[in-house]
Coordinates of all heavy atoms in Angstrom, one line a residue:
Chain X
L363 N -69.2 -8.1 -83.8 CA -69.9 -7.6 -85.0 C -69.7 -8.3 -86.2 O -70.6 -8.5 -87.1 CB -69.6 -6.1 -85.1 CG -70.2 -5.1 -84.2 CD1 -69.6 -3.7 -84.3 CD2 -71.7 -5.1 -84.4
V364 N -68.4 -8.8 -86.4 CA -68.0 -9.4 -87.7 C -68.8 -10.8 -87.8 O -68.9 -11.3 -88.9 CB -66.5 -9.5 -87.8 CG1 -66.0 -10.8 -87.1 CG2 -66.1 -9.4 -89.2
Q365 N -69.2 -11.3 -86.6 CA -69.9 -12.6 -86.7 C -71.4 -12.4 -87.0 O -72.1 -13.4 -87.4 CB -69.9 -13.2 -85.3 CG -68.5 -13.2 -84.7 CD -67.9 -14.6 -84.5 OE1 -68.7 -15.5 -84.1 NE2 -66.7 -14.7 -84.7
V366 N -71.9 -11.2 -86.9 CA -73.3 -11.0 -87.2 C -73.6 -11.3 -88.6 O -72.9 -10.9 -89.6 CB -73.7 -9.5 -86.9 CG1 -75.1 -9.3 -87.3 CG2 -73.5 -9.2 -85.4
E367 N -74.6 -12.2 -88.8 CA -75.0 -12.5 -90.2 C -76.3 -11.8 -90.6 O -77.2 -11.8 -89.8 CB -75.2 -14.0 -90.3 CG -73.9 -14.8 -90.1 CD -74.1 -16.3 -90.1 OE1 -75.3 -16.7 -89.9 OE2 -73.1 -17.0 -90.3
I368 N -76.3 -11.2 -91.7 CA -77.6 -10.6 -92.2 C -77.9 -11.1 -93.6 O -77.0 -11.5 -94.3 CB -77.5 -9.1 -92.2 CG1 -76.1 -8.6 -92.8 CG2 -77.7 -8.5 -90.9 CD1 -76.0 -7.1 -93.0
K369 N -79.2 -11.1 -93.8 CA -79.7 -11.6 -95.1 C -80.4 -10.4 -95.8 O -81.5 -10.1 -95.4 CB -80.6 -12.8 -94.9 CG -80.7 -13.7 -96.1 CD -81.5 -14.9 -95.8 CE -81.9 -15.6 -97.1 NZ -82.9 -16.6 -96.9
P370 N -79.7 -9.7 -96.7 CA -80.4 -8.6 -97.3 C -81.6 -9.0 -98.1 O -81.6 -10.1 -98.6 CB -79.3 -8.1 -98.3 CG -78.0 -8.8 -98.0 CD -78.4 -10.1 -97.3
P371 N -82.6 -8.2 -98.2 CA -83.9 -8.5 -98.9 C -83.5 -8.8 -100.4 O -82.8 -8.1 -101.0 CB -84.8 -7.3 -98.7 CG -83.9 -6.2 -98.3 CD -82.7 -6.8 -97.6
G372 N -84.1 -9.9 -100.9 CA -83.9 -10.2 -102.3 C -82.6 -11.0 -102.5 O -82.5 -11.6 -103.6
A373 N -81.7 -11.1 -101.6 CA -80.5 -11.8 -101.8 C -80.6 -13.2 -101.3 O -81.4 -13.5 -100.4 CB -79.3 -11.1 -101.2
T374 N -79.8 -14.1 -101.8 CA -79.9 -15.5 -101.4 C -78.7 -15.8 -100.4 O -78.9 -16.6 -99.6 CB -79.8 -16.4 -102.6 OG1 -78.7 -16.0 -103.4 CG2 -81.1 -16.5 -103.3
D375 N -77.6 -15.0 -100.6 CA -76.5 -15.3 -99.8 C -76.6 -14.6 -98.4 O -77.1 -13.5 -98.4 CB -75.2 -14.9 -100.4 CG -75.0 -15.4 -101.8 OD1 -75.7 -16.4 -102.1 OD2 -74.3 -14.8 -102.6
I376 N -76.1 -15.3 -97.4 CA -75.9 -14.6 -96.1 C -74.6 -13.8 -96.1 O -73.6 -14.3 -96.5 CB -75.9 -15.6 -95.0 CG1 -77.3 -16.2 -94.8 CG2 -75.4 -15.0 -93.7 CD1 -77.3 -17.4 -93.9
V377 N -74.7 -12.5 -95.7 CA -73.5 -11.7 -95.7 C -73.2 -11.3 -94.3 O -74.1 -11.2 -93.4 CB -73.6 -10.4 -96.6 CG1 -73.7 -10.8 -98.0 CG2 -74.8 -9.6 -96.2
H378 N -71.9 -11.1 -94.0 CA -71.4 -10.6 -92.7 C -71.3 -9.1 -92.7 O -71.1 -8.5 -93.8 CB -70.1 -11.3 -92.4 CG -70.2 -12.7 -92.1 ND1 -70.5 -13.2 -90.9 CD2 -70.1 -13.8 -92.9 CE1 -70.6 -14.5 -90.9 NE2 -70.3 -14.9 -92.1
L379 N -71.5 -8.5 -91.6 CA -71.3 -7.0 -91.5 C -69.8 -6.7 -91.9 O -68.9 -7.4 -91.5 CB -71.5 -6.6 -90.1 CG -72.9 -6.4 -89.6 CD1 -72.9 -6.0 -88.1 CD2 -73.7 -5.5 -90.4
P380 N -69.6 -5.7 -92.8 CA -68.3 -5.4 -93.1 C -67.6 -4.6 -92.0 O -68.1 -3.6 -91.5 CB -68.5 -4.5 -94.4 CG -69.8 -3.9 -94.2 CD -70.6 -4.9 -93.4
I381 N -66.5 -5.1 -91.6 CA -65.8 -4.5 -90.5 C -64.4 -4.1 -91.0 O -63.7 -4.9 -91.6 CB -65.6 -5.4 -89.3 CG1 -67.0 -5.7 -88.6 CG2 -64.7 -4.9 -88.2 CD1 -67.6 -4.6 -87.9
Y382 N -64.0 -2.8 -90.7 CA -62.7 -2.3 -91.1 C -61.8 -2.5 -89.9 O -62.1 -2.1 -88.8 CB -62.8 -0.9 -91.5 CG -61.5 -0.2 -91.8 CD1 -60.7 -0.7 -92.8 CD2 -61.2 0.9 -91.1 CE1 -59.5 0.0 -93.1 CE2 -60.0 1.6 -91.4 CZ -59.1 1.1 -92.3 OH -58.0 1.8 -92.6
W383 N -60.6 -3.1 -90.2 CA -59.7 -3.4 -89.1 C -58.4 -2.5 -89.1 O -57.5 -2.7 -88.4 CB -59.2 -4.9 -89.1 CG -60.3 -5.8 -88.9 CD1 -61.0 -6.4 -89.9 CD2 -60.8 -6.3 -87.7 NE1 -62.0 -7.3 -89.3 CE2 -61.8 -7.2 -87.9 CE3 -60.4 -6.1 -86.3 CZ2 -62.5 -7.9 -86.9 CZ3 -61.1 -6.8 -85.3 CH2 -62.1 -7.7 -85.7
G384 N -58.4 -1.5 -89.9 CA -57.2 -0.6 -90.1 C -56.8 0.0 -88.8 O -57.6 0.4 -88.0
Y385 N -55.4 0.2 -88.7 CA -54.9 0.7 -87.5 C -55.1 2.2 -87.3 O -55.0 2.7 -86.2 CB -53.4 0.4 -87.4 CG -52.6 1.1 -88.5 CD1 -52.0 2.4 -88.2 CD2 -52.4 0.6 -89.7 CE1 -51.3 3.0 -89.2 CE2 -51.7 1.2 -90.7 CZ -51.2 2.5 -90.4 OH -50.5 3.1 -91.4
D386 N -55.4 2.9 -88.4 CA -55.6 4.4 -88.3 C -56.7 4.8 -87.4 O -56.6 5.7 -86.6 CB -55.8 5.0 -89.7 CG -56.9 4.4 -90.5 OD1 -57.2 3.2 -90.2 OD2 -57.4 5.0 -91.4
Q387 N -57.7 3.9 -87.3 CA -58.8 4.3 -86.4 C -58.4 4.1 -84.9 O -58.9 4.8 -84.1 CB -60.1 3.5 -86.8 CG -59.9 2.0 -86.8 CD -61.1 1.3 -87.3 OE1 -62.1 1.9 -87.6 NE2 -61.0 0.0 -87.4
Y388 N -57.5 3.1 -84.7 CA -57.1 2.9 -83.3 C -56.3 4.2 -82.9 O -56.4 4.7 -81.8 CB -56.2 1.7 -83.2 CG -56.8 0.4 -83.7 CD1 -56.0 -0.4 -84.6 CD2 -58.1 0.1 -83.4 CE1 -56.6 -1.5 -85.1 CE2 -58.6 -1.1 -83.9 CZ -57.9 -1.9 -84.8 OH -58.4 -3.0 -85.3
L389 N -55.4 4.7 -83.8 CA -54.6 5.9 -83.5 C -55.6 7.1 -83.3 O -55.4 7.9 -82.4 CB -53.6 6.1 -84.6 CG -52.5 5.1 -84.8 CD1 -51.6 5.5 -85.9 CD2 -51.7 5.0 -83.5
L390 N -56.6 7.1 -84.1 CA -57.5 8.3 -84.0 C -58.3 8.2 -82.7 O -58.4 9.2 -82.0 CB -58.5 8.1 -85.2 CG -59.1 9.4 -85.7 CD1 -58.0 10.3 -86.2 CD2 -60.1 9.1 -86.8
A391 N -58.7 7.0 -82.3 CA -59.4 6.9 -81.0 C -58.5 7.2 -79.9 O -58.9 7.9 -78.9 CB -59.9 5.4 -80.9
L392 N -57.3 6.7 -80.0 CA -56.3 7.0 -78.9 C -56.0 8.5 -78.8 O -56.0 9.1 -77.7 CB -55.0 6.2 -79.3 CG -54.1 5.9 -78.1 CD1 -54.6 4.8 -77.2 CD2 -52.7 5.5 -78.6
G393 N -55.9 9.1 -80.0 CA -55.6 10.5 -80.0 C -56.7 11.3 -79.4 O -56.5 12.2 -78.6
F394 N -58.0 11.0 -79.8 CA -59.1 11.7 -79.2 C -59.2 11.5 -77.7 O -59.4 12.4 -77.0 CB -60.4 11.2 -79.9 CG -60.8 12.0 -81.1 CD1 -61.0 11.3 -82.3 CD2 -61.0 13.3 -81.0 CE1 -61.3 12.0 -83.4 CE2 -61.4 14.1 -82.1 CZ -61.5 13.4 -83.4
A395 N -59.0 10.2 -77.3 CA -59.1 9.9 -75.9 C -58.1 10.7 -75.1 O -58.3 11.3 -74.0 CB -59.0 8.4 -75.6
M396 N -56.8 10.6 -75.6 CA -55.7 11.3 -74.8 C -55.9 12.8 -74.8 O -55.7 13.4 -73.7 CB -54.4 10.9 -75.5 CG -53.9 9.5 -75.3 SD -54.0 8.9 -73.6 CE -52.7 9.9 -72.9
T397 N -56.3 13.4 -75.9 CA -56.6 14.8 -75.9 C -57.6 15.2 -74.9 O -57.5 16.1 -74.1 CB -57.0 15.3 -77.3 OG1 -56.1 14.7 -78.3 CG2 -56.9 16.8 -77.4
S398 N -58.8 14.4 -74.9 CA -59.8 14.8 -74.0 C -59.3 14.6 -72.6 O -59.6 15.5 -71.7 CB -61.0 13.8 -74.2 OG -61.2 13.5 -75.5
A399 N -58.6 13.6 -72.3 CA -58.1 13.3 -70.9 C -57.2 14.4 -70.5 O -57.3 15.0 -69.3 CB -57.4 12.0 -70.8
V400 N -56.3 14.8 -71.3 CA -55.3 15.9 -70.9 C -56.0 17.2 -70.7 O -55.8 17.9 -69.8 CB -54.2 16.0 -72.0 CG1 -53.3 17.2 -71.7 CG2 -53.3 14.7 -71.9
V401 N -56.9 17.5 -71.7 CA -57.7 18.8 -71.6 C -58.5 18.8 -70.3 O -58.6 19.8 -69.5 CB -58.6 19.0 -72.8 CG1 -59.6 20.1 -72.5 CG2 -57.8 19.3 -74.0
A402 N -59.1 17.6 -69.9 CA -59.9 17.5 -68.7 C -59.0 17.7 -67.5 O -59.4 18.2 -66.4 CB -60.6 16.2 -68.6
A403 N -57.7 17.4 -67.6 CA -56.8 17.4 -66.4 C -56.2 18.8 -66.3 O -55.8 19.2 -65.2 CB -55.7 16.4 -66.6
V404 N -56.3 19.7 -67.3 CA -55.6 21.0 -67.3 C -56.2 21.8 -66.2 O -55.4 22.4 -65.4 CB -55.7 21.7 -68.6 CG1 -55.4 23.1 -68.5 CG2 -54.8 21.0 -69.6
L405 N -57.5 21.9 -66.1 CA -58.1 22.8 -65.1 C -57.8 22.4 -63.6 O -57.3 23.2 -62.9 CB -59.6 23.0 -65.3 CG -60.0 23.9 -66.4 CD1 -61.5 24.0 -66.6 CD2 -59.4 25.3 -66.2
P406 N -58.1 21.1 -63.3 CA -57.7 20.7 -61.9 C -56.2 20.9 -61.6 O -55.9 21.3 -60.5 CB -58.1 19.2 -61.9 CG -59.1 19.1 -63.0 CD -58.8 20.1 -64.0
A407 N -55.4 20.6 -62.6 CA -53.9 20.7 -62.4 C -53.6 22.2 -62.1 O -52.7 22.5 -61.3 CB -53.2 20.2 -63.6
R408 N -54.2 23.1 -62.9 CA -53.9 24.5 -62.7 C -54.4 24.9 -61.3 O -53.7 25.7 -60.6 CB -54.6 25.3 -63.7 CG -53.9 26.7 -64.0 CD -54.1 27.2 -65.3 NE -55.6 27.5 -65.4 CZ -56.1 28.2 -66.5 NH1 -55.3 28.6 -67.4 NH2 -57.3 28.4 -66.6
K409 N -55.5 24.5 -60.9 CA -56.1 24.8 -59.6 C -55.1 24.3 -58.5 O -54.8 25.0 -57.5 CB -57.5 24.2 -59.4 CG -58.2 24.8 -58.3 CD -59.6 24.2 -58.2 CE -60.2 24.5 -56.9 NZ -61.3 23.5 -56.5
A410 N -54.6 23.1 -58.7 CA -53.7 22.5 -57.7 C -52.4 23.3 -57.6 O -51.9 23.6 -56.5 CB -53.4 21.1 -58.0
A411 N -51.9 23.7 -58.8 CA -50.6 24.4 -58.8 C -50.8 25.8 -58.1 O -49.8 26.3 -57.6 CB -50.2 24.6 -60.2
R412 N -52.0 26.3 -58.1 CA -52.2 27.6 -57.5 C -52.5 27.6 -56.0 O -52.6 28.7 -55.4 CB -53.4 28.3 -58.2 CG -53.0 28.8 -59.5 CD -54.1 29.6 -60.1 NE -53.8 30.1 -61.5 CZ -54.7 30.4 -62.4 NH1 -56.0 30.3 -62.0 NH2 -54.3 30.8 -63.5
V413 N -52.5 26.4 -55.4 CA -52.8 26.3 -54.0 C -51.7 27.1 -53.2 O -50.5 26.9 -53.5 CB -52.8 24.9 -53.5 CG1 -52.7 24.8 -52.0 CG2 -54.1 24.2 -54.0
Q414 N -52.2 28.0 -52.3 CA -51.2 28.8 -51.5 C -51.1 28.0 -50.2 O -52.0 28.0 -49.4 CB -51.7 30.2 -51.3 CG -51.7 31.1 -52.5 CD -50.3 31.3 -53.0 OE1 -49.4 31.4 -52.3 NE2 -50.2 31.3 -54.4
P415 N -49.9 27.5 -49.9 CA -49.7 26.6 -48.7 C -50.1 27.4 -47.5 O -50.7 26.9 -46.6 CB -48.3 26.3 -48.7 CG -47.6 27.0 -49.8 CD -48.6 27.5 -50.7
V416 N -49.8 28.7 -47.4 CA -50.0 29.4 -46.2 C -51.5 29.5 -45.9 O -51.9 29.4 -44.8 CB -49.4 30.9 -46.3 CG1 -49.8 31.7 -45.1 CG2 -47.9 30.7 -46.4
A417 N -52.3 29.7 -47.0 CA -53.7 29.8 -46.8 C -54.3 28.5 -46.2 O -55.1 28.6 -45.3 CB -54.4 30.1 -48.1
I418 N -53.7 27.4 -46.6 CA -54.2 26.1 -46.1 C -53.7 25.9 -44.7 O -54.4 25.5 -43.8 CB -53.7 25.0 -47.0 CG1 -54.1 25.2 -48.4 CG2 -54.2 23.6 -46.5 CD1 -55.5 25.3 -48.7
L419 N -52.4 26.3 -44.4 CA -51.8 26.1 -43.1 C -52.5 27.0 -42.1 O -52.8 26.5 -40.9 CB -50.3 26.4 -43.1 CG -49.5 25.5 -44.0 CD1 -48.1 26.0 -44.1 CD2 -49.5 24.0 -43.4
R420 N -52.9 28.2 -42.5 CA -53.6 29.1 -41.5 C -54.9 28.4 -41.1 O -55.3 28.5 -40.0 CB -53.9 30.4 -42.2 CG -52.8 31.4 -42.1 CD -53.2 32.8 -42.2 NE -52.0 33.6 -42.4 CZ -51.6 34.0 -43.5 NH1 -52.2 33.8 -44.6 NH2 -50.5 34.7 -43.6
G421 N -55.6 27.8 -42.1 CA -56.9 27.2 -41.9 C -56.8 26.1 -40.9 O -57.7 25.8 -40.1
M422 N -55.6 25.4 -40.9 CA -55.4 24.3 -40.0 C -55.0 24.7 -38.6 O -55.3 24.1 -37.6 CB -54.4 23.3 -40.5 CG -54.7 22.6 -41.8 SD -56.1 21.5 -41.5 CE -55.2 20.2 -40.6
G423 N -54.2 25.8 -38.5 CA -53.6 26.2 -37.2 C -54.5 26.9 -36.3 O -55.7 26.8 -36.3

Side-chain angles (χ1 to χ4, degrees):
Chain X
L363 282 172
V364 87
Q365 315 243 321
V366 173
E367 290 175 345
I368 41 173
K369 207 174 159 190
T374 45
D375 307 340
I376 287 171
V377 290
H378 290 276
L379 284 178
I381 293 288
Y382 174 59
W383 296 92
Y385 65 91
D386 51 338
Q387 55 188 358
Y388 309 130
L389 293 180
L390 211 58
L392 203 73
F394 269 123
M396 289 309 289
T397 312
S398 322
V400 171
V401 169
V404 165
L405 281 179
R408 203 157 63 172
K409 194 176 163 204
R412 283 185 182 159
V413 165
Q414 289 299 322
V416 174
I418 306 303
L419 295 172
R420 274 203 192 100
M422 291 296 285

